[in-house]
């Protein structure tokens, strides 16, 4: 009797323990609620549904199931960002908007008179705090001397009219200095053109209240410009002029004169030393057929802050 009673108690305890574990397990996977995405379908007879309630951080996809394009216009101009401005949705396509500020956002298709083409997005809840940021990207990471690039980025908050300063620090300098200022457009985006003359690091900054917001650094490398000109072809000799251009002189340095062989590889056929104007004249033997000639400034001759650089290829036939 005692043994049976003990077994019964152990079995009951195991059942209770298993029940508690079954209740506890779901809570282990619980976490913060993430941003949600909902859909409003644009049909030939209107928006479905016309009204939606979301929370800050949520996104609404506007999907066009009609055979004609539709436009979605909001009375408000801030508190949200959309994938296009104006928001025109082509047939079978989707455009989206994401809300960051609580409030009521009436919208409509201005090209339709039917009241079913009007609706409201209601954003409930507390607006999440926006951490000020600024991004920076370069249209190229390596450029030839004298060629400009485009720097672009985006600020948070995404308001238009924010002044973004572009700062640069070139090779050999010890601190950043301002080289340009630009105003953000809708969505907080900006673009600005700059021309690096040597290896240069760029960053973007803007003032947010009492704080200075700074971007990550975008570095741009520079190759000297190597200019090769064919002067004459007489008999088996072709005469050229080569000139190297950058922010420094190349007097006393050399370039390699190269010919492309039948395998497509560049082989050096001579070296020529540059003179007082960073240039030189030289001649090479031209074989029967077509010879493809270029000049190469090696990295060892380019100087600090510059990469190796090659001229254009010139084809000479005889």
């Amino acid at each position: 009797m005692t043994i049976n009673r003990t077994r019964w108690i152990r079995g009951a305890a195991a059942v209770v323990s298993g029940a508690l574990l079954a209740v506890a397990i779901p809570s282990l996977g619980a976490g913060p609620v993430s941003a949600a995405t909902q859909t409003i379908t644009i049909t030939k007879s209107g928006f479905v549904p016309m009204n939606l309630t979301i929370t800050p951080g949520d996104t609404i996809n506007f999907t066009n199931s009609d055979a004609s394009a539709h436009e979605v216009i909001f009375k408000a101009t801030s508190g949200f960002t959309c994938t296009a401005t104006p928001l025109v949705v082509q047939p079978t396509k989707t455009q989206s908007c994401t809300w960051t500020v609580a409030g009521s956002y009436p919208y409509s298709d201005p090209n339709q008179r039917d009241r079913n083409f009007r609706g409201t997005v209601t954003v409930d809840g507390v607006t999440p705090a926006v951490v000020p940021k600024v991004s920076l990207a370069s249209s190229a990471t390596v450029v030839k001397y004298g060629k400009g690039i485009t720097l672009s980025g985006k600020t948070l908050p995404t308001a238009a009219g924010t002044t973004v300063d572009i700062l640069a620090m070139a090779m050999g300098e010890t601190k950043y200095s301002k080289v340009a200022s630009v105003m953000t457009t809708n969505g907080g985006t900006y673009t600005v053109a700059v021309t690096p003359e040597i290896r240069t690091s760029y960053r973007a900054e803007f003032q947010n209240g009492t704080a200075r917001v700074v971007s990550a650094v975008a570095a741009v490398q520079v190759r000297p410009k190597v200019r090769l000109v064919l002067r004459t072809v007489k008999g088996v000799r072709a005469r050229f002029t080569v000139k190297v251009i950058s922010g420094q002189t190349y007097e006393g340095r050399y370039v390699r004169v190269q010919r492309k062989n039948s395998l497509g590889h560049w082989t050096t056929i001579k070296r020529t030393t540059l003179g007082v104007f960073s240039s030189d004249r030289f001649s090479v033997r031209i074989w029967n057929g077509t010879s493809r000639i270029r000049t190469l400034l090696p990295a060892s001759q380019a100087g600090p802050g510059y990469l190796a650089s090659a001229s254009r290829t010139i084809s000479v036939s005889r």
Side-chain angles (χ1 to χ4, degrees):
M1 182 69 178
T2 303
I3 294 174
N4 291 337
R5 177 179 176 83
T6 301
R7 288 176 178 174
W8 182 87
I9 292 173
R10 289 177 178 173
V15 172
V16 173
S17 177
L20 291 175
L21 182 61
V23 172
I25 286 175
S27 66
L28 295 176
V33 178
S34 59
T37 299
Q38 300 191 52
T39 299
I40 293 177
T41 303
I42 308 172
T43 69
K44 63 180 180 180
S45 56
F47 295 110
V48 180
M50 294 185 292
N51 304 314
L52 269 182
T53 299
I54 61 175
T55 58
D58 288 356
T59 297
I60 294 179
N61 290 334
F62 291 89
T63 301
N64 189 359
S65 66
D66 193 8
S68 301
H70 287 273
E71 187 173 2
V72 181
I73 296 295
F74 291 90
K75 287 186 178 181
T77 58
S78 61
F80 61 96
T81 56
C82 297
T83 52
T85 303
L87 194 68
V88 178
V89 189
Q90 300 295 331
T92 72
K93 301 299 182 181
T94 296
Q95 300 282 6
S96 63
C97 297
T98 301
W99 276 261
T100 55
V101 179
S104 180
Y105 297 85
Y107 70 93
S108 65
D109 183 340
N111 304 306
Q112 304 291 330
R113 295 184 178 180
D114 194 317
R115 64 181 183 179
N116 290 329
F117 282 95
R118 295 192 295 269
T120 301
V121 174
T122 302
V123 184
D124 283 344
V126 178
T127 301
V130 176
V131 178
K133 295 180 182 178
V134 58
S135 62
L136 177 67
S138 172
S139 60
T141 57
V142 178
V143 295
K144 282 288 183 72
Y145 181 83
K147 185 177 181 180
I149 59 170
T150 299
L151 299 176
S152 61
K154 183 177 181 179
T155 62
L156 283 177
T158 58
T162 300
T163 300
V164 177
D165 294 327
I166 304 298
L167 289 82
M169 183 170 65
M171 173 74 177
E173 297 178 345
T174 58
K175 63 179 182 179
Y176 283 88
S177 58
K178 186 168 71 173
V179 294
S181 290
V182 62
M183 301 284 281
T184 58
T185 58
N186 290 336
T189 60
Y190 70 89
T191 59
V192 61
V194 295
T195 304
E197 295 185 351
I198 196 170
R199 186 174 67 201
T200 304
S201 297
Y202 294 94
R203 75 184 189 199
E205 298 182 358
F206 76 96
Q207 194 70 28
N208 184 72
T210 59
R212 192 71 175 169
V213 183
V214 181
S215 74
V217 171
V220 181
Q221 303 263 39
V222 178
R223 299 186 190 277
K225 181 184 294 184
V226 182
R227 184 179 296 164
L228 181 64
V229 177
L230 174 63
R231 295 170 53 221
T232 61
V233 178
K234 291 183 179 180
V236 297
R237 308 294 297 182
R239 291 171 171 79
F240 297 86
T241 298
V242 60
K243 183 177 178 63
V244 179
I245 304 169
S246 78
Q248 66 177 46
T249 180
Y250 289 91
E251 181 182 2
R253 302 192 183 189
Y254 67 83
V255 296
R256 293 173 180 163
V257 182
Q258 298 182 321
R259 176 187 285 118
K260 182 176 283 189
N261 63 26
S262 59
L263 298 177
H265 300 150
W266 289 103
T267 59
T268 299
I269 55 179
K270 67 182 301 181
R271 287 191 343 185
T272 185
T273 302
L274 303 173
V276 64
F277 298 109
S278 300
S279 64
D280 189 43
R281 294 182 178 185
F282 64 90
S283 68
V284 295
R285 182 182 177 86
I286 301 300
W287 304 101
N288 290 332
T290 300
S291 296
R292 293 173 175 84
I293 306 296
R294 77 172 188 180
T295 48
L296 172 70
L297 178 72
S300 62
Q301 303 298 300
Y306 293 101
L307 300 178
S309 185
S311 71
R312 66 188 179 111
T313 300
I314 295 180
S315 297
V316 183
S317 301
R318 65 175 291 267

